Amino acid sequence: MIKLPLIKIFAGLILLLLLQGAAASDHADPVFNQQPTRSLSGLFAFIDNNDLIIILTTHPGLNHPLPIHHLHEQTYRVHLDLTSKVSFDNPQQRMRYGGSINRPKHIKESATLAFSLNENAELVEFKPQGALQETDNIRVFTGVRDDPFIFPKFFGTNVVAMVTAIPLDAFPKQQKDFVLWGDIIRKGKKIDHVGRSNRTMQPRLDFLNTLEPYEHLEAINKKHNDPGLVDKVLMSKLAPLFAIRDYDKFPDVMIFSRHHKAGFPNGRLLTDDVADLTCQLGDCLLWELSYGDVRTWNWPRKNTNDKPFLPHFPYLAKPW
């Protein structure tokens, strides 16, 4: 008679702690993170003409003027694995992740784009490293732009954006497949991660945010097969939020292949309504939350951004 209420109280207290302290990314910040200034909010990849466009965004829902005093304390990075073999013969993984990675424990960056910003979101230093040629031809933009996430809570707000246009000639000849992810380094430690949209923001996968992609699969399997006491309670009593699902057993990276048309889950376009697209694949938390805002534009649900994107570099709409 007493056991079940105690378990519910215990699970509720743990959930409260998680809601106050977790550091998830992918625009989960208004729900699970009380420090959005330390979060990545989006990673985009697509081809425009002869350039690979990569966009990394942080500070979701930015609604105050510059400066942002801690920006200079963090390094923002995008990593590209150009050697991991990607296949497309698993229809479920191709639909959910854009393809399959044959050796996930061997994921390793071949090239890295590192951005250091000042308090006004201006570029202080851009370091392209690794297997890239003629890096002087890479175009770079940093600054405050409209938040591109298609989600009512973020309409009328901004992000800090880092945009690169990398000539395809900068990559090894005949490079077709790219494995990408982004992270934040602060005081020498990784504090956030972004790969495929709407993954590490899920409460059940928040623990991936400080791990490297080659560690993800082993960590997910461990969480599923041998959870600790707290995880057992959460996974049993709050299963929709915390139980590991079979399809979760995949590293949190973005796959982009030039063999296929760009658009989620093959990379990500600015126009992709990922809250809706990922809900079709089983992760509906963001989609449901998009109906929770009281603003008048919440019905019918908006499936386009609140400002039109630019047809040219840097693509993101001008800031509010």
Side-chain angles (χ1 to χ4, degrees), residues 32-288:
F32 300 108
N33 188 358
Q34 299 303 310
Q35 294 181 312
T37 56
R38 295 190 180 186
S39 288
L40 296 171
S41 56
L43 178 64
F44 303 81
F46 54 91
I47 298 289
D48 184 30
N49 293 320
N50 291 314
D51 293 327
L52 173 64
I53 309 302
I54 299 176
I55 301 175
L56 185 69
T57 60
T58 182
H59 287 66
L62 184 64
N63 58 9
H64 60 80
L66 297 169
I68 302 172
H69 295 295
H70 66 275
L71 265 181
H72 68 283
E73 300 174 353
Q74 303 180 166
T75 301
Y76 300 91
R77 306 187 304 184
V78 176
H79 306 277
L80 299 97
D81 180 349
L82 306 176
T83 60
S84 285
K85 185 176 180 181
V86 179
S87 59
F88 307 97
D89 53 0
N90 183 320
Q92 182 177 159
Q93 290 189 346
R94 180 177 176 186
M95 177 181 65
R96 190 177 301 280
Y97 299 114
S100 302
I101 298 174
N102 293 10
R103 302 176 70 189
K105 290 185 179 180
H106 293 265
I107 295 173
K108 184 178 181 181
E109 63 272 16
S110 308
T112 296
L113 312 173
F115 305 84
S116 297
L117 309 178
N118 65 19
E119 296 179 345
N120 292 313
E122 298 166 331
L123 185 65
V124 174
E125 186 175 37
F126 172 64
K127 284 187 177 181
Q129 301 170 323
L132 292 173
Q133 306 295 321
E134 300 180 7
T135 55
D136 290 343
N137 294 329
I138 298 175
R139 288 181 288 162
V140 181
F141 167 88
T142 70
V144 174
R145 307 296 281 190
D146 164 64
D147 191 326
F149 188 38
I150 301 170
F151 195 87
K153 187 176 183 67
F154 298 99
F155 292 167
T157 67
N158 299 318
V159 293
V160 174
M162 291 146 276
V163 185
T164 56
I166 309 172
L168 293 175
D169 290 342
F171 295 100
K173 191 174 182 180
Q174 305 302 318
Q175 185 74 41
K176 297 293 184 182
D177 299 328
F178 305 82
V179 177
L180 306 91
W181 66 96
D183 60 23
I184 300 176
I185 301 298
R186 187 172 187 268
K187 296 182 179 179
K189 294 183 178 181
K190 177 174 177 173
I191 63 170
D192 202 18
H193 174 95
V194 63
R196 199 213 72 169
S197 302
N198 197 8
R199 282 210 74 198
T200 53
M201 66 78 50
Q202 298 293 328
R204 68 184 190 274
L205 296 173
D206 177 73
F207 65 95
L208 298 178
N209 272 303
T210 57
L211 302 178
E212 297 301 326
Y214 71 85
E215 301 174 294
H216 285 181
L217 186 57
E218 182 177 352
I220 293 169
N221 284 327
K222 186 177 188 306
K223 178 80 75 171
H224 180 262
N225 299 328
D226 187 26
L229 175 61
V230 172
D231 285 325
K232 282 184 179 179
V233 173
L234 293 173
M235 292 168 71
S236 62
K237 300 304 176 183
L238 298 169
L241 288 176
F242 292 101
I244 298 296
R245 305 170 187 183
D246 187 64
Y247 59 73
D248 288 334
K249 297 176 181 179
F250 197 94
D252 185 30
V253 293
M254 174 185 287
I255 292 174
F256 176 62
S257 175
R258 295 173 62 198
H259 291 289
H260 307 289
K261 183 179 179 180
F264 181 89
N266 183 43
R268 180 182 174 186
L269 301 173
L270 289 169
T271 52
D272 286 338
D273 182 4
V274 294
D276 181 49
L277 293 169
T278 54
C279 184
Q280 296 176 33
L281 302 170
D283 287 316
C284 292
L285 180 58
L286 280 181
W287 189 84
E288 291 175 355

